[in-house]
Amino acid sequence: MRAMVTGGAGFIGSALVDRLLAEGHEVDVVDDLSTGSLTHLAEARATGGKALRIHQLDIRLPEMVDLTVRRRPEVLFHLAAQASVPVSVAEPIFDAHVNVLGTLNVLEAARAASTDRVVFAASGGTLYGNPDPSKLPLTETLPHRPLSPYGVSKKAAIDYLVAYRELYAVEFAALALANVYGPRQDPHGESGVVAIFAERLVRGQPVTIDGDGEQTRDFVYVDDVVDAFVRASARGGGLVCNVGTGIGTTVNDIYRLLAEAAGVATPAEHGPPRPGDVRHSCLDPARAAMQLGWQAWTPLSAGLASVIEFFSNR
């Protein structure tokens, strides 16, 4: 197929580009490089040949529509986003410009280009708000009640996807992602604990855990997530599917496994808890298993070891 990947120079997007090229597809990458990096696409650029085209472009611009009409992708993977919850709280208008108006422009591009399907990166960590812990693991049938501007913008994007499907027959699949981790994740951005801890461990620097470290998250490996995106290019139409493991892992356990992989025996330090943090979160992947034929297969210890190896080599 001919595919377009917005945010294709990012952490998840570049891994998706690698997978699509390996399967013989043509890929157009759209990224303004504000947070993405061409270094993430080094392997793709070395092996992709004429099957890969990279366009440095902001998804909010009219040129996004022109490019999409010219390239006519069959599937448009939309991963470009303002991805920081703290930034969304500090700058909600900027967040909405990128995540709401940007997505709307991408949908207009897909409509104008007669694109068959848009596969959207939604946020499983913010979509459901702060539900009762008895509801864990969270299912897609729970109300969408995000509590941050970032989460609200992602919910609005899903609402637009539904509307475009009904009005213009632009099919979609939305993947509500858990805490994605893996190589190429930026330890200085909105990256989560794995990349931050891994880089500090490799450099021999102290690691500080917010609060007591017993808070839990659903950590899912980037290659598994990419597999879900590829499957959603042909399945799961009109649905939101959780992409996670269904297992909550404490931050203390994440540190322990990373430290073991790095050969570090020093215990982590503990700081004050972050205000407003959800205590426990994990996503039920049953719908993804049924509708996409997907499941996470990478053991947590193996995935974390690959992150340590990545930062060691870098």
Side-chain angles (χ1 to χ4, degrees):
M1 66 183 173
R2 176 173 287 176
M4 180 174 283
V5 182
T6 72
F11 159 49
I12 303 172
S14 62
L16 174 59
V17 169
D18 287 345
R19 168 73 179 266
L20 292 170
L21 290 172
E23 293 187 354
H25 305 301
E26 293 182 47
V27 183
D28 283 275
V29 170
V30 177
D31 201 302
D32 68 358
L33 302 181
S34 59
T35 56
S37 172
L38 288 177
T39 60
H40 293 159
L41 294 169
E43 181 180 337
R45 296 170 77 186
T47 62
K50 293 182 179 180
L52 174 67
R53 290 176 173 83
I54 301 172
H55 314 271
Q56 186 174 351
L57 180 64
D58 189 318
I59 59 169
R60 295 171 289 179
L61 296 176
E63 288 82 359
M64 177 68 198
V65 178
D66 298 337
L67 172 66
T68 309
V69 169
R70 189 166 70 250
R71 298 301 301 155
R72 292 201 174 275
E74 297 161 78
V75 179
L76 199 163
F77 297 92
H78 180 33
L79 287 77
Q82 187 301 109
S84 168
V85 171
V87 167
S88 80
V89 173
E91 302 180 61
I93 294 175
F94 169 67
D95 179 83
H97 267 292
V98 177
N99 292 350
V100 179
L101 296 181
T103 296
L104 188 53
N105 201 42
V106 167
L107 287 173
E108 278 293 282
R111 179 168 74 95
S114 300
T115 297
D116 295 333
R117 178 176 295 220
V118 175
V119 183
F120 176 62
S123 170
T126 64
L127 189 61
Y128 306 108
N130 192 7
D132 190 306
S134 66
K135 302 291 185 182
L136 297 174
L138 307 177
T139 67
E140 297 87 349
T141 57
L142 288 170
H144 294 176
R145 293 175 178 169
L147 300 176
S148 68
Y150 169 74
V152 170
S153 71
K154 286 290 189 175
K155 177 184 183 298
I158 292 173
D159 292 340
Y160 273 114
L161 288 163
V162 172
Y164 269 67
R165 184 176 191 255
E166 294 299 318
L167 290 170
Y168 309 119
V170 177
E171 186 59 280
F172 80 89
L175 304 183
L177 308 181
N179 288 60
V180 186
Y181 74 97
R184 298 181 187 163
Q185 197 168 23
D186 180 7
H188 306 293
E190 179 66 12
S191 60
V193 297
V194 172
I196 295 169
F197 288 4
E199 185 189 50
R200 296 190 70 83
L201 284 165
V202 166
R203 290 185 172 188
Q205 297 173 335
V207 171
T208 300
I209 294 174
D210 296 325
D212 63 6
E214 287 303 297
Q215 60 269 39
T216 60
R217 296 292 184 269
D218 188 340
F219 294 92
V220 59
Y221 191 62
V222 64
D223 288 355
D224 300 359
V225 171
V226 163
D227 186 55
F229 273 99
V230 172
R231 290 171 181 271
S233 67
R235 302 178 66 174
L239 295 175
V240 176
C241 290
N242 289 336
V243 174
T245 67
I247 300 169
T249 302
T250 68
V251 176
N252 287 332
D253 282 339
I254 291 294
Y255 177 79
R256 177 179 57 80
L257 291 168
L258 284 170
E260 288 175 0
V264 174
T266 307
E269 301 171 0
H270 288 267
R274 291 199 307 181
D277 254 4
V278 175
R279 183 68 173 168
H280 301 291
S281 177
C282 66
L283 304 178
D284 187 338
R287 179 183 286 181
M290 180 182 299
Q291 298 293 336
L292 306 180
W294 177 87
Q295 63 178 358
W297 73 84
T298 303
L300 183 60
S301 58
L304 294 176
S306 76
V307 177
I308 290 292
E309 181 181 10
F310 170 78
F311 280 105
S312 298
N313 292 336
R314 194 174 74 162

